[in-house]
Amino acid sequence: MFRLWSSSHHQDNDPLQHEVKINELKAAIGPLSGRSLQFCTDACFRRYLEARNWNVDKAKKMLEETLKWRSTYKPEEICWREVANEGETGKVYRASFRDRSGRTVLILRPGMQNTVSIDNQMRHLVYLIENAVFNLPEGQEQMAWLIDFTGWTLSTTVPVKSARDTINILQNHYPERLAVAFLYNPPRIFEAFWKIVKYFLDNKTFHKVKFVYPKNKDSVELMKQYFDEKNLPTEFGGHAILNYDHEEFSKLMTQDDVRSAAFWGRDDKLPHYGNGHSGAEVAPEPVCLAPVAS
């Protein structure tokens, strides 16, 4: 029994076996075309295999479900102008800094909720996940989340169904895209919500969620391993000034929409934003972001 487990464990960590598995998954998926072909890079096959512990059959099922979801939901076609009103308060946005590993960072501020349509809130989040992925540097596959609970109350929290749907989309259609999610200083009343939501998380995702409390030295030190304090906003215990400017952020997203349209082969006529419904910048200085997606 031990030999069997040891042999299997060795295969899961053998780069040559990984290549074999990737090729097996490619063959199992079969010929692809259009955007599905663009989406299914070798790195993509690897993420789905990692998410299913290198089980080709399970990875195939998972990837096929994602391709079906992408063909109907069309996340790559969502444009900022469609979700800009969701972002007016800066409840979710891409930060202008990266973590120590060069990952793009999404800042989530659930206490800044400003709308009631769950579907539109989901499209806004999916748009920003796609944008975070699109702006990953070459060789980096994952993003980091920073969640600020300032102003959060039970009255502003998302419904449990919405939380479950969000988790399902992240886990099932963006596997191995999340490196870590830091929940900074959540209030005591969040514990009741967390006790329900955590059961929707698979084991891998569960261990990526880290609670950080300013008075807990170990949790603060863990966060510092991922982030330079000079880049972290003061809301997360850092030294940078958080300044979400919706107009500036909208300009940035509109520019990204042009690049995304070119990458995916869309011929969108994107409007110029000058109506005050645009954007955000966080902290030190803007970072030049290179388009990489899969």
Side-chain angles (χ1 to χ4, degrees):
M1 177 68 75
F2 175 76
R3 287 180 180 176
L4 181 64
W5 178 87
S6 179
S7 173
S8 173
H9 183 70
H10 175 71
Q11 287 183 3
D12 285 349
N13 291 279
D14 183 351
L16 292 178
Q17 282 294 322
H18 288 179
E19 291 304 314
V20 170
K21 297 274 189 178
I22 288 172
N23 288 329
E24 287 181 9
L25 180 55
K26 285 182 182 179
I29 291 294
L32 297 167
S33 61
R35 293 179 187 172
S36 292
L37 180 61
Q38 283 181 278
F39 180 76
C40 290
T41 61
D42 281 6
C44 174
F45 286 122
R46 180 181 295 273
R47 286 194 308 275
Y48 278 78
L49 283 163
E50 286 181 354
R52 290 297 179 260
N53 296 315
W54 295 91
N55 182 303
V56 174
D57 290 337
K58 291 181 179 179
K60 174 178 180 286
K61 182 175 185 293
M62 186 185 198
L63 181 51
E64 285 177 337
E65 289 174 352
T66 290
L67 293 176
K68 182 178 179 181
W69 174 77
R70 292 186 71 90
S71 71
T72 55
Y73 199 87
K74 300 185 184 302
E76 76 280 4
E77 291 191 6
I78 304 173
C79 295
W80 178 249
R81 65 174 180 263
E82 301 171 20
V83 297
N85 68 306
E86 292 287 338
E88 288 180 353
T89 60
K91 63 188 177 188
V92 187
Y93 66 98
R94 175 166 59 83
S96 64
F97 61 89
R98 300 174 185 267
D99 74 359
R100 293 186 187 275
S101 298
R103 302 181 184 99
T104 47
V105 178
L106 284 186
I107 292 181
L108 296 84
R109 302 190 291 179
M112 304 294 285
Q113 183 58 262
N114 62 322
T115 60
V116 295
S117 171
I118 301 299
D119 290 342
N120 290 342
Q121 291 169 11
M122 193 68 67
R123 282 178 65 80
H124 177 237
L125 179 60
V126 167
Y127 170 86
L128 287 166
I129 291 174
E130 288 279 317
N131 182 268
V133 169
F134 189 70
N135 281 284
L136 287 170
E138 187 173 356
Q140 179 55 261
E141 292 288 311
Q142 296 183 307
M143 59 185 154
W145 286 14
L146 289 174
I147 305 175
D148 172 21
F149 283 88
T150 301
W152 185 91
T153 64
L154 285 177
S155 63
T156 59
T157 193
V158 296
V160 171
K161 181 183 183 302
S162 177
R164 183 183 62 193
D165 291 346
T166 299
I167 291 169
N168 286 342
I169 286 177
L170 181 65
Q171 291 182 160
N172 297 333
H173 302 313
Y174 297 94
E176 297 304 314
R177 282 301 195 186
L178 181 67
V180 65
F182 283 105
L183 281 62
Y184 192 81
N185 204 26
R188 290 286 299 274
I189 56 173
F190 178 75
E191 292 178 10
F193 183 72
W194 174 246
K195 285 179 180 178
I196 299 172
V197 170
K198 69 180 181 181
Y199 290 107
F200 303 141
L201 300 173
D202 62 31
N203 191 52
K204 284 189 175 184
T205 306
F206 179 81
H207 285 96
K208 293 176 181 179
V209 177
K210 311 296 182 185
F211 286 78
V212 180
Y213 298 94
K215 294 181 180 180
N216 183 309
K217 185 177 179 180
D218 289 342
S219 67
V220 171
E221 288 301 316
L222 176 63
M223 196 172 183
K224 288 180 181 178
Q225 292 177 21
Y226 284 83
F227 294 97
D228 189 326
E229 284 182 283
K230 71 179 183 183
N231 291 334
L232 267 182
T234 54
E235 286 82 351
F236 296 97
H239 304 315
I241 303 301
L242 182 93
N243 179 27
Y244 179 82
D245 183 325
H246 188 57
E247 182 171 354
E248 288 304 312
F249 190 69
S250 291
K251 290 176 182 177
L252 181 63
M253 293 299 98
T254 303
Q255 292 168 7
D256 279 358
D257 283 352
V258 173
R259 296 191 299 121
S260 175
F263 177 84
W264 291 108
R266 301 196 319 264
D267 185 23
D268 295 352
K269 291 182 173 59
L270 297 167
H272 171 73
Y273 269 91
N275 60 357
H277 288 356
S278 297
E281 288 270 325
V282 166
E285 39 191 62
V287 178
C288 181
L289 302 171
V292 177
S294 68

